[in-house]
Amino acid sequence: MARRPLPRILSSGSASISRGREIARTAADGATDVLHPLITVSRGLRRLAVAGRARWAATPRERRGPTLLLAAVCVLGVVLMPYGPLLALVSVMGAAAWKGRERPAARPGPDEVGAERLRALYEALVPHFSVPDDPSPLFAHGGEWKRAFGDFAFDADGRPTRLRVSYPAYFPDGDPGSRARIERLLHAKSGRGREYRFDWDEEGNQLLMTVLPALPASVAAQRFVTVPGETVLGFTDADAVQRTVPVHDGDATRDAPAVVWRTGPRSTEPHLLVVGQPGGGVSTLLRSVALQALQHGGEVLVLEGFGTGEYACLTGRRGVLGVECGPAGALNALEWAAHETERRLAAAHEARRAGEPAPVEVRRPLWILLDRPSVLADLAAAEGRTGPQDLLQVPLRHGRAAYVTVVVAEQFDTVDALGDAVRSHTRARVTLGSAPADQLAAVLGTPPHTTPPPEVPPGRGYARLGTGRVVRLQVPATPDPYDEASPEAHRRAVLDLLPERPVREAPLPADGAAVPG
């Protein structure tokens, strides 16, 4: 038997009811916003009335008569005063508004599991934050942890995700070793497998420990919104930098906090040093820097000491002066770069003497990307030639004035082979991959304020520009587009960013030769 369709008034009734509820909810919210002062005053008057009734009930019977007489005298005095009733009304309304304001809810304390974990943390910190001569120790065995801990939060497993520790003023918080001991203890007692950040407030004698989320590694190479002279090294935490750039992350677009490195004549960090572990993403960062330099019309010279062909995709592209893998070609290219830097300096100097701007060919940025100079140095020494670091001295010293930028990449196990010229002129530093804290501090100049991540994806590390703070870094995914093991979407993104190869005209045929056709 076929079903009859419902009447229209019944089929559309649910939609009308939902629409009516939405209209009523909107009207109620608007009325609440408009009547909020009246609601606050009414709430305050009710609380004042309740407080007055309670006070009257607590007053002994023998004192109620004198109290009423005193109140009547006060009311008469107010009535007889000039503008007395008006002032009394304003005072009552002000008191009611203050009494009826919304107070923040009291923060609940930790549950039994959280309290037990905080008590264990407190007992573990006692040997580090106490001395025998302290008459009133903040940390003592069997003491009260609530005096030392505050601003705490826990995850679903009961492990602390945020904790503020107040420590005594005599603790040597300026000593890196003392700090490291406290950070290791908190890391071990709060739960491993997470990344922590420790912010020391030496003036207020407080330490704030927070658990950091993992940096997203899904952002691929793309055209970032930057101006010439700016290079996006990667992305970091939102509170670590003051600038965000719009990025395409999969099918969505969002603003991501970016570590932007500025180069050029007015840069304080004109050159970059990248140190990483094998497979840490050093070549990924150099490919990303090369693509961004070509995007802004720069000229790129890539010199690879290891000869693995990581930069073969740049060969022959427009704007790429050369990709040299062999020792002879790389050393010849470095000699040319030194002479080119001197030529640019001379041309810029002549232009300034004449009161004119530098020529266009001088102001076009020249990027020298040198990967593994220690390998080239060994090969050059075997052939009796000048080492690559000696040839880099001119571009490093005078590159900022000549619009020449040098990026040197090395590994942790051979970073000691870098000379003073490279170390003193590369004031922008990046480390990629996992490494001990002392190695990170040797490269960055100061240890990071975060613990090592439990998992280190390619392109994950730390960055420090000049004398700034050390920040976490995740390099945008820029794999070798010819590597079939890489994700297809990331390989396609790199191929779309590569400049086209210039079309070479075929040579004219010799006299008498047949023209193919």
Side-chain angles (χ1 to χ4, degrees):
M1 180 177 180
R3 294 183 179 180
R4 287 186 176 184
L6 292 174
R8 185 173 183 181
I9 186 172
L10 295 179
S11 61
S12 61
S14 59
S16 301
I17 294 174
S18 301
R19 189 162 48 252
R21 289 176 178 174
E22 185 66 25
I23 294 174
R25 188 180 298 108
T26 304
D29 294 341
T32 302
D33 294 338
V34 173
L35 301 177
H36 181 70
L38 182 60
I39 295 174
T40 302
V41 172
S42 301
R43 187 190 304 118
L45 290 175
R46 184 174 64 254
R47 291 177 179 176
L48 289 176
V50 172
R53 190 182 301 111
R55 186 67 178 270
W56 178 258
T59 303
R61 293 183 177 274
E62 61 273 9
R63 296 182 57 184
R64 292 182 178 181
T67 301
L68 286 177
L69 179 60
L70 180 61
V73 172
C74 292
V75 170
L76 181 62
V78 169
V79 172
L80 296 179
M81 285 178 56
Y83 306 102
L86 179 60
L87 293 176
L89 180 62
V90 171
S91 301
V92 172
M93 292 297 102
W98 177 260
K99 192 72 174 179
R101 73 190 189 279
E102 295 181 355
R103 297 180 178 85
R107 183 174 179 177
D111 55 8
E112 184 178 354
V113 177
E116 185 63 28
R117 188 176 287 270
L118 291 180
R119 189 177 300 109
L121 277 174
Y122 178 84
E123 292 292 336
L125 290 173
V126 168
H128 302 275
F129 286 150
S130 63
V131 293
D133 298 336
D134 191 349
S136 178
L138 182 62
F139 285 82
H141 291 293
E144 184 62 36
W145 60 264
K146 295 181 180 179
R147 296 177 53 199
F149 294 160
D151 193 11
F152 44 78
F154 300 87
D155 59 7
D157 298 331
R159 299 184 300 177
T161 59
R162 182 182 178 89
L163 178 63
R164 187 179 298 277
V165 181
S166 299
Y167 56 88
Y170 51 75
F171 175 75
D173 50 10
D175 180 24
S178 301
R179 285 189 177 191
R181 285 191 294 271
I182 299 299
E183 293 174 2
R184 285 195 300 266
L185 188 147
L186 291 176
H187 182 199
K189 293 295 184 180
S190 299
R192 300 186 183 275
R194 301 184 296 176
E195 193 170 1
Y196 295 85
R197 183 177 67 188
F198 299 96
D199 296 321
W200 292 83
D201 181 10
E202 300 181 12
E203 184 178 359
N205 299 320
Q206 291 185 345
L207 168 62
L208 177 62
M209 180 191 72
T210 52
V211 176
L212 298 174
L215 292 176
S218 57
V219 179
Q222 55 193 277
R223 295 187 181 275
F224 301 112
V225 182
T226 54
V227 299
E230 292 182 345
T231 303
V232 175
L233 298 179
F235 303 95
T236 183
D237 301 300
D239 57 349
V241 293
Q242 299 180 354
R243 179 174 177 178
T244 60
V245 295
V247 297
H248 299 287
D249 190 355
D251 297 333
T253 301
R254 60 183 179 88
D255 291 338
V259 180
V260 179
W261 172 42
R262 293 173 177 84
T263 58
R266 299 189 181 278
S267 173
T268 57
E269 303 90 22
H271 307 297
L272 174 67
L273 174 62
V274 183
V275 182
Q277 299 285 5
V282 173
S283 58
T284 297
L285 178 56
L286 263 63
R287 275 191 296 267
S288 176
V289 171
L291 292 177
Q292 296 182 61
L294 294 173
Q295 173 187 345
H296 293 302
E299 296 177 333
V300 177
L301 178 61
V302 182
L303 310 174
E304 183 184 0
F306 210 63
T308 56
E310 294 285 343
Y311 312 98
C313 60
L314 299 172
T315 303
R317 301 288 178 174
R318 190 179 301 276
V320 179
L321 300 180
V323 179
E324 298 292 343
C325 299
L331 295 176
N332 292 336
L334 285 176
E335 292 179 359
W336 173 87
H339 295 313
E340 175 65 12
T341 304
E342 294 174 349
R343 186 194 67 82
R344 289 183 172 219
L345 279 177
H349 179 66
E350 291 296 333
R352 294 191 188 96
R353 289 184 58 185
E356 298 177 356
V360 177
E361 65 272 10
V362 174
R363 288 185 280 112
R364 186 177 186 182
L366 172 61
W367 291 75
I368 303 174
L369 309 182
L370 178 57
D371 193 358
R372 298 300 302 275
S374 59
V375 178
L376 287 177
D378 296 338
L379 297 176
E383 297 179 1
R385 300 188 56 177
T386 306
Q389 298 190 49
D390 296 332
L391 297 175
L392 273 179
Q393 290 188 11
V394 174
L396 287 171
R397 291 175 180 175
H398 308 288
R400 180 171 59 178
Y403 295 86
V404 178
T405 302
V406 179
V407 179
V408 179
E410 194 53 83
Q411 292 186 1
F412 277 106
D413 54 356
T414 55
V415 70
D416 295 335
L418 296 178
D420 295 337
V422 175
R423 293 176 179 273
S424 60
H425 291 92
T426 53
R427 302 186 68 249
R429 303 288 180 89
V430 171
T431 61
L432 298 176
S434 60
D438 55 346
Q439 291 187 356
L440 296 176
V443 176
L444 300 173
T446 182
H449 299 291
T450 60
T451 58
E455 297 181 0
V456 185
R460 175 67 169 83
Y462 299 95
R464 188 188 188 195
L465 303 179
T467 58
R469 59 183 297 189
V470 178
V471 298
R472 299 196 301 167
L473 181 72
Q474 178 62 53
V475 178
T478 316
D480 183 4
Y482 302 152
D483 183 10
E484 297 181 355
S486 301
E488 179 64 25
H490 294 172
R491 293 167 55 197
R492 177 55 54 186
V494 175
L495 288 174
D496 293 341
L497 292 177
L498 287 172
E500 70 280 0
R501 288 188 172 94
V503 179
R504 297 182 180 179
E505 297 181 357
L508 294 176
D511 295 340
V515 179

